[in-house]
Amino acid sequence: MKLTLKIWRQKNAQDKGHFETYEVDAHEDMSFLEMLDVLNERLIRQKKDPIAFDYDCREGICGACSMVINGKPHGPLPGTTTCQLHMRHFKDGDTIWVEPFRAAAFPVIKDLMVDRSAFERIMQAGGYISVNTGSAPEANSIPVPKPIADKAFDAAACIGCGACVAACPNGAAMLFVAAKISHLGLLPHGQPERYIRARKMVERMYLEGFGNCTNIGACEAECPKEISLEHIARMNRWFAKASLIETEEA
Amino acid sequence: MNAIAKFLRSPIGQKWVMALTGLFLVSFLIVHLSGNILLLLPDNGRTFSAFVDWMESRWIIRILSILLFLGFAIHIVQGILLYRYNRKAKGARYAVTATDNSSWSARHMALLGIGILLFLILHLWDFFFPMKVRKTFHHHQLYDEVVQTFQNPLWVLAYVLGMIILGLHLSHGFQSAFQTLGIRHPKYTPFIVAFGKWFSILVPLLFAIIPIALYFKFS
């Protein structure tokens, strides 16, 4: 299949950047990243600078791959990362626009790579359990109701890729932060710190320059792990409780 | 008190301000509509005028109207601040923007808000300022003024347009307020969402019917 790619090229963080057009001959069984690999090999043979993009596992579980394809983080397929998006979802002759994740807190490093270390700093602010909880306990020694376990698991599916930020017209990271707050705070070992954690992570999120949620819902729609907005409501509730009622300092 | 002030300055707290003032303004819509509906009674405005008279003679209404102005002012100023904050947080825009992942009104709340503000200015200019500030007519004459205003089809059109904008703003705003306040539960959220949807259709529709009905009744 013949495709026209309009790819964002930017030398470094200071460069203004521009779109460049490439014609590629892709196979429908290629993943989107493999299609870019083929293009890059051609660019290298031509002694041109290959297109920089992030990837690691290529199995849809690590959260490294990014890029916005035709206006959608991770492309048009719901619940799928870029590495798991295959070219059969495009048509012969298509023109595909490829851009980096856009948010002030995710500055472009080069081409399609953005600096997502702000997420690491949010995790460092509170995305942990302060004490060592040991190895996995006997399954029924601490009962966890099934609906709670399910909710925590849904939140834990977050791979921290940042698609929520990329999709949000406000550049908000609330779906990511809410997923972490829910995942840790709903389960017994993480519960004692849940309000303090919510406050610390939310405060860090704002320090990093992420925007404010206006409940548009694009994050939920574009999340490769289909994480629910329900977690954002919980974060709003817990952050309010942490700010207004809780007094202890962890 | 310090904790409350600090919370309300935090961005989630600022969203709470939007949600709480928004819901307060929603409650005002119900009061306003229940008065306006009287315009449709076939008694040449007798009941409506009696209602206006009652409103004008109650000090509680005066206090509520001050609160209402405050509610509008806070909702508007806070909205502008959040809009600017979010624009800055997004930074550069995309060349291609997907539109099928969210509703148009959710993405354009600020624009719809400006539309409502323009309508509000027009609306206050029509009735509130002449009656309360410039005192060009007495509140007993309000019914005649309303009928007079809506003999102009352009005015009817402007009011209908204003109500369409209001409906779009409410269609996102109503359920969004509950989400922001953290009120979300699988048992109750479907009701809140459905209620918000019907509210955002029915209330602006009933408001819009009034100028249309008055236009056809007297022309």
Side-chain angles (χ1 to χ4, degrees):
Chain A
M1 55 199 297
K2 295 214 182 305
L3 299 166
T4 305
L5 299 173
K6 303 263 185 191
I7 299 181
W8 183 259
R9 299 306 307 264
Q10 185 173 338
K11 280 196 182 69
N12 51 45
Q14 286 72 43
D15 183 24
K16 269 184 72 183
H18 64 281
F19 282 99
E20 225 162 273
T21 309
Y22 301 94
E23 305 290 333
V24 287
D25 204 354
H27 191 276
E28 59 180 19
D29 289 338
M30 285 175 173
S31 75
F32 202 87
L33 296 187
E34 285 163 346
M35 183 272 297
L36 288 180
D37 289 339
V38 169
L39 171 60
N40 269 348
E41 279 173 27
R42 191 178 85 200
L43 291 176
I44 292 167
R45 275 200 306 276
Q46 294 170 342
K47 306 253 183 280
K48 287 180 184 160
D49 196 19
I51 300 151
F53 59 88
D54 272 313
Y55 69 90
D56 189 22
C57 75
R58 300 211 179 195
E59 291 178 340
I61 53 171
C62 76
C65 59
S66 55
M67 73 184 79
V68 171
I69 301 161
N70 286 341
K72 287 172 164 258
H74 296 297
L77 214 58
T80 311
T81 54
T82 302
C83 64
Q84 292 295 299
L85 171 69
H86 289 84
M87 299 316 293
R88 54 180 164 272
H89 299 290
F90 296 90
K91 287 195 303 286
D92 187 42
D94 272 358
T95 297
I96 306 171
W97 290 78
V98 190
E99 303 173 66
F101 280 4
R102 294 284 188 202
F106 281 171
V108 174
I109 299 169
K110 189 181 179 188
D111 299 335
L112 304 173
M113 283 176 88
V114 296
D115 180 357
R116 285 173 282 181
S117 57
F119 270 15
E120 310 301 331
R121 291 188 291 275
I122 293 172
M123 291 306 282
Q124 285 162 9
Y128 51 79
I129 292 165
S130 294
V131 294
N132 188 352
T133 55
S135 55
E138 204 284 316
N140 293 326
S141 59
I142 305 171
V144 180
K146 180 74 163 71
I148 299 292
D150 285 348
K151 276 191 173 70
F153 189 81
D154 284 348
C158 171
I159 52 176
C161 66
C164 44
V165 178
C168 180
N170 304 331
M174 285 201 160
L175 195 63
F176 164 73
V177 179
K180 300 303 171 194
I181 287 172
S182 281
H183 152 208
L184 292 165
L186 283 171
L187 294 174
H189 291 109
Q191 258 184 31
E193 291 174 286
R194 60 177 155 174
Y195 301 124
I196 299 294
R197 178 184 301 115
R199 187 168 58 69
K200 284 182 173 172
M201 291 182 81
V202 167
E203 282 171 1
R204 186 74 223 181
M205 168 175 85
Y206 290 126
L207 270 180
E208 295 293 341
F210 289 105
N212 210 351
C213 176
T214 50
N215 308 322
I216 290 169
C219 54
E220 183 186 43
E222 301 296 353
C223 173
K225 298 299 161 185
E226 300 178 317
I227 289 168
S228 165
L229 288 181
E230 171 197 334
H231 299 296
I232 296 183
R234 182 175 299 106
M235 176 178 70
N236 290 339
R237 202 157 64 228
W238 287 1
F239 177 75
K241 195 157 184 210
S243 308
L244 297 172
I245 299 166
E246 295 289 310
T247 50
E248 81 213 80
E249 285 294 328
Chain B
M1 285 312 279
N2 194 27
I4 297 175
K6 197 176 161 212
F7 172 68
L8 292 179
R9 277 199 306 275
S10 77
I12 288 183
Q14 292 184 38
K15 278 156 47 75
W16 274 48
V17 170
M18 287 307 279
L20 292 171
T21 50
L23 289 176
F24 170 63
L25 296 176
V26 161
S27 73
F28 157 71
L29 283 179
I30 300 168
V31 178
H32 195 327
L33 180 62
S34 50
N36 284 23
I37 278 294
L38 302 175
L39 286 163
L40 293 178
L41 293 175
D43 62 355
N44 282 327
R46 229 159 39 89
T47 319
F48 177 77
S49 295
F51 177 73
V52 173
D53 218 31
W54 181 86
M55 293 278 277
E56 286 294 318
S57 60
R58 291 293 178 282
W59 59 268
I60 182 87
I61 301 294
R62 192 144 291 184
I63 292 173
L64 281 176
S65 64
I66 293 166
L67 281 179
L68 183 64
F69 267 99
L70 268 177
F72 269 113
I74 295 170
H75 195 76
I76 292 164
V77 171
Q78 185 66 81
I80 294 169
L81 291 175
L82 282 174
Y83 177 77
R84 288 179 39 166
Y85 183 96
N86 287 337
R87 286 291 287 211
K88 200 170 142 236
K90 189 62 190 174
R93 308 255 122 191
Y94 291 114
V96 181
T97 315
T99 52
D100 60 346
N101 56 18
S102 51
S103 76
W104 185 89
S105 51
R107 279 179 277 117
H108 296 89
M109 283 302 271
L111 182 71
L112 292 167
I114 292 168
I116 295 171
L117 179 62
L118 293 176
F119 169 75
L120 196 67
I121 292 168
L122 173 83
H123 183 47
L124 291 175
W125 193 256
D126 279 346
F127 303 115
F128 184 86
F129 283 113
M131 188 172 97
K132 306 283 261 188
V133 183
R134 300 209 313 269
K135 300 204 190 290
T136 52
F137 66 86
H138 189 262
H139 69 258
H140 286 149
Q141 295 158 283
L142 182 58
Y143 178 80
D144 298 327
E145 284 293 326
V146 171
V147 168
Q148 183 69 33
T149 302
F150 294 126
Q151 291 319 294
N152 183 344
L154 281 178
W155 242 237
V156 176
L157 198 70
Y159 271 66
V160 170
L161 193 67
M163 287 307 103
I164 291 171
I165 295 170
L166 175 67
L168 289 170
H169 195 75
L170 286 172
S171 73
H172 176 69
F174 191 90
Q175 52 87 20
S176 176
F178 289 89
Q179 165 81 4
T180 293
L181 297 172
I183 302 170
R184 179 157 172 149
H185 190 278
K187 262 188 189 157
Y188 304 105
T189 298
F191 170 77
I192 292 170
V193 170
F195 186 90
K197 207 161 272 175
W198 281 107
F199 189 91
S200 65
I201 295 170
L202 285 179
V203 169
L205 185 70
L206 287 170
F207 269 119
I209 281 173
I210 295 162
I212 298 171
L214 290 178
Y215 175 74
F216 284 110
K217 190 173 168 189
F218 293 97
S219 64

